[in-house]
Amino acid sequence: MKNLDFLNKALSLLKPVHEEVAKPVSTVQVESVDEKPAVSPAPEFSSMELTVGDKVTIDFGNHFVGYFGMKLSFTGSHPDAPVLLRLRFAENATELLEKQEDYHGWVCSSWIQEEQIHVDIVPSFVDLPRRYALRYAEIEVLAISSKFKLVIEDVRLRAVSGADNSKLLPSALNEECSRIDEIAVRTLHNCKQVVFEDGPKRDRRLWLGDLRLQALADYYTYRDYDMVKACLYLFAALPMPDGRVGACLFLEPEPEVDDTFILDYSLLYVNALLDYFKATDDMETLKELKDTAFLQIDLAAKQLDKSYIIKDSDKMGWAFLDWNLALNRQAGAQGVLLYSLKAAFEIAVLLNDLDKKRVYDQLYYSCLNAANEILWNEKEGFYLSGADRQLSWASQIWMILGGACDRNRARDILKRLPDSGALSMVTPYIHHYYVEALIECGERSKALNVIREYWGGMVKMGADTFWELYNPQNPYESPYGGTIVNSYCHAWSCAPAYFLRRYFTP
Ligand code: RAM
């Protein structure tokens, strides 16, 4: 049932986005995925006279989110027919080398940022109504009368973001880390719109798992507590029919919960609420939203079997953890339950709720003992997941974060993991929790190395913002059946801004 008080509270906290005008810095030629786009030796676009088949790729010099507009004029006779243009917008130059027709994946191809438009009147100013996420814009003439040539006199982007640049806290990091931080902040900046979106290209929605990580980064950068608060109230205001918080929300045309449920995301609501309280001391919000948080634990507990292990499922997306499609999620989900139970216990302590304290304490130890009795494999020295006893990075990371083992065992597990043949991680999302696990068990310098190598790997590949997916072994991986729908500015990738500023500032 909708909670209208919560909904109104949330909506009253949301603010309009900030705008700035971005201008192109050059034209480029994109020829190969392995090379950076070459700055074109061609003349400035405003002096080009375009006819059928001509194409111009404009570079804005950085990643932006916004509304594209261009001023068109002509040379030759008065235009006697409309101009048909194809416009393509790309966050990453590789998107321009991929074709919409070649994509047959399971995520809708309508996310591909490509339009065909007729321009009936030239000269004119053409403003595209849709919002894009881009660094590059490609304009191609598909049809034009032979009596005139098209001139693109000017191009501009009305760039939007919910982040207030004047509020950004400075960082004091060395050069290498400061570059990684800058890109992470840009990622956060561009994913922040009216609410925290997962990615401004796709899905442009408020996802709970992404929100938690964005909020953490935001506490150390823009400190926009109202936006986090609004998002927490939105999830509480719009639960699924049984009280579970949905995995994501739509804002338009009216705020509404999606029909997707992800167990670990719902549990992370508890942690997101506790993080928010720790950042703000806002006791009123903690008190108002605690029931939503506690309910997520109580409902998840119903998914435990008799021995206190989360029941496995083969339904895709029942738990997320990472985008590795081969991942068995049982052990990881158990770890997330432990992790959120610790947070629920802390909330109960803060609120002096003795009943919840006792219940969650007991539940925590029952789940923890079960994990060590059933999922721990003494011979292998790892936690194994599912009927096939799968060994994965995600399972170890979440068990460690859930506190299933002591520091020494945790360190030992993390030390042996790289040579264990464990199923790998593919997203910055799970890498965030990997870094957190390393910090938890006192391995700070290893944590810093992960940031330098993993996020630094994207920097080396020319990232302006951090990506939804990055597997160094296979940089062009996609769980969607094609990289053209991958998002290259993705909320859950902004971790370095949080970790570097919180733990690694001298
Ligand atoms: C992807 C989204 C989002 C994530 C979900 C689980 O489709 O982009 O970031 O939270 O998956």
Side-chain angles (χ1 to χ4, degrees):
M1 257 248 297
K2 271 191 190 173
N3 182 326
L4 290 178
D5 285 346
F6 283 4
L7 184 59
N8 289 334
K9 198 166 210 167
L11 297 178
S12 72
L13 290 165
L14 298 177
K15 296 179 206 97
V17 290
H18 302 265
E19 290 192 13
E20 57 174 321
V21 173
K23 300 290 273 178
V25 293
S26 63
T27 55
V28 290
Q29 275 163 3
V30 181
E31 268 151 15
S32 135
V33 284
D34 300 319
E35 283 166 39
K36 284 197 175 165
V39 174
S40 174
E44 267 306 291
F45 57 81
S46 57
S47 58
M48 293 180 199
E49 297 180 351
L50 306 172
T51 190
V52 181
D54 285 345
K55 194 159 52 177
V56 182
T57 309
I58 289 161
D59 180 1
F60 284 90
N62 201 349
H63 186 284
F64 290 95
V65 179
Y67 299 87
F68 183 84
M70 56 191 171
K71 191 174 170 204
L72 301 178
S73 72
F74 67 98
T75 57
S77 302
H78 188 289
D80 60 336
V83 181
L84 180 62
L85 298 176
R86 173 158 50 214
L87 297 157
R88 302 208 293 153
F89 302 99
E91 300 187 293
N92 184 313
T94 58
E95 288 162 274
L96 297 175
L97 298 165
E98 299 169 306
K99 290 208 177 99
Q100 179 156 23
E101 311 81 82
D102 297 339
Y103 171 71
H104 304 288
W106 60 272
V107 158
C108 190
S109 62
S110 63
W111 286 117
I112 298 169
Q113 304 189 107
E114 179 170 326
E115 314 289 351
Q116 279 196 21
I117 59 163
H118 283 90
V119 182
D120 285 301
I121 299 169
V122 178
S124 62
F125 198 96
V126 178
D127 254 326
L128 268 67
R130 193 164 184 257
R131 200 194 74 191
Y132 301 97
L134 70 144
R135 169 167 173 173
Y136 304 99
E138 183 189 88
I139 304 166
E140 184 180 355
V141 182
L142 295 182
I144 188 169
S145 152
S146 57
K147 292 190 71 177
F148 71 101
K149 300 242 169 47
L150 187 73
V151 175
I152 304 164
E153 276 194 1
D154 194 20
V155 160
R156 62 138 177 77
L157 192 78
R158 195 160 53 80
V160 289
S161 166
D164 179 348
N165 291 332
S166 69
K167 299 268 168 63
L168 178 63
L169 297 172
S171 73
L173 297 157
N174 67 29
E175 205 184 317
E176 181 194 11
C177 290
S178 151
R179 178 68 188 133
I180 297 177
D181 173 73
E182 197 186 327
I183 297 175
V185 169
R186 185 87 196 152
T187 308
L188 178 64
H189 177 276
N190 286 358
C191 290
K192 262 184 101 158
Q193 296 295 329
V194 175
V195 294
F196 289 101
E197 293 181 9
D198 59 333
K201 170 182 162 187
R202 203 217 82 243
D203 307 326
R204 303 164 60 148
R205 285 207 279 284
L206 175 60
W207 283 86
L208 195 34
D210 303 72
L211 165 66
R212 183 188 180 219
L213 305 192
Q214 280 166 300
L216 286 175
D218 208 81
Y219 300 144
Y220 290 85
T221 51
Y222 297 103
R223 291 199 288 200
D224 188 354
Y225 303 126
D226 276 358
M227 190 185 280
V228 180
K229 182 172 170 179
C231 294
L232 290 171
Y233 270 97
L234 278 174
F235 276 106
L238 303 166
M240 301 184 97
D242 55 1
R244 296 180 299 175
V245 291
C248 69
L249 299 178
F250 299 100
L251 264 282
E252 303 284 354
E254 294 295 331
E256 195 171 350
V257 66
D258 186 22
D259 55 9
T260 307
F261 174 76
I262 300 180
L263 180 69
D264 45 331
Y265 275 24
S266 71
L267 289 169
L268 290 170
Y269 185 88
V270 187
N271 301 75
L273 178 60
L274 181 62
D275 298 336
Y276 169 79
F277 174 77
K278 286 183 177 168
T280 59
D281 274 331
D282 178 352
M283 187 48 96
E284 191 192 320
T285 297
L286 186 70
K287 281 187 180 160
E288 282 204 326
L289 299 183
K290 67 153 191 336
D291 290 339
T292 301
F294 289 154
L295 187 59
Q296 305 317 306
I297 301 271
D298 301 343
L299 292 169
K302 294 192 177 160
Q303 275 184 246
L304 291 166
D305 66 14
K306 280 200 268 37
S307 50
Y308 286 94
I309 294 287
I310 292 269
K311 285 183 207 137
D312 202 0
S313 165
D314 49 17
K315 189 174 161 242
M316 184 177 163
W318 72 275
F320 176 65
L321 310 177
D322 189 21
W323 257 132
N324 192 329
L325 296 174
L327 178 65
N328 180 284
R329 289 159 164 88
Q330 186 182 35
Q334 182 89 6
V336 179
L337 176 59
L338 290 169
Y339 183 75
S340 59
L341 267 167
K342 286 198 287 180
F345 181 80
E346 240 184 288
I347 294 177
V349 171
L350 285 164
L351 297 175
N352 205 17
D353 185 333
L354 301 180
D355 182 45
K356 288 286 181 202
K357 240 177 82 177
R358 184 184 45 77
V359 172
Y360 293 149
D361 191 48
Q362 274 175 10
L363 185 60
Y364 178 75
Y365 283 102
S366 304
C367 294
L368 182 139
N369 293 338
N372 285 320
E373 273 158 31
I374 297 164
L375 304 177
W376 175 253
N377 183 294
E378 187 64 36
K379 202 164 133 241
E380 295 214 30
F382 289 114
Y383 292 94
L384 304 180
S385 182
D388 293 338
R389 313 292 281 152
Q390 183 191 67
L391 168 59
S392 70
W393 281 74
S395 301
Q396 314 314 308
I397 289 164
W398 277 111
M399 278 297 159
I400 289 168
L401 289 174
C405 56
D406 64 21
R407 253 189 181 208
N408 289 342
R409 181 186 274 181
R411 273 193 196 165
D412 183 51
I413 288 174
L414 292 177
K415 196 168 149 205
R416 288 182 293 106
L417 252 182
D419 302 317
S420 65
L423 189 83
S424 64
M425 311 178 272
V426 300
T427 55
Y429 177 75
I430 184 72
H431 277 82
H432 174 110
Y433 288 109
Y434 176 35
V435 172
E436 186 177 322
L438 285 165
I439 292 173
E440 261 304 287
C441 56
E443 297 282 21
R444 283 206 183 193
S445 66
K446 284 192 183 164
L448 182 59
N449 274 344
V450 174
I451 294 174
R452 290 171 57 212
E453 278 167 28
Y454 184 72
W455 277 272
M458 285 185 259
V459 179
K460 284 200 189 105
M461 291 185 71
D464 302 298
T465 45
F466 289 123
W467 309 338
E468 173 181 24
L469 281 124
Y470 174 55
N471 177 0
Q473 266 70 57
N474 178 15
Y476 302 107
E477 180 157 323
S478 171
Y480 307 121
T483 46
I484 196 165
V485 295
N486 283 12
S487 149
Y488 292 94
C489 173
H490 213 75
W492 64 30
S493 290
C494 60
Y498 164 64
F499 289 119
L500 292 173
R501 286 162 181 252
R502 176 164 181 187
Y503 297 102
F504 301 106
T505 298

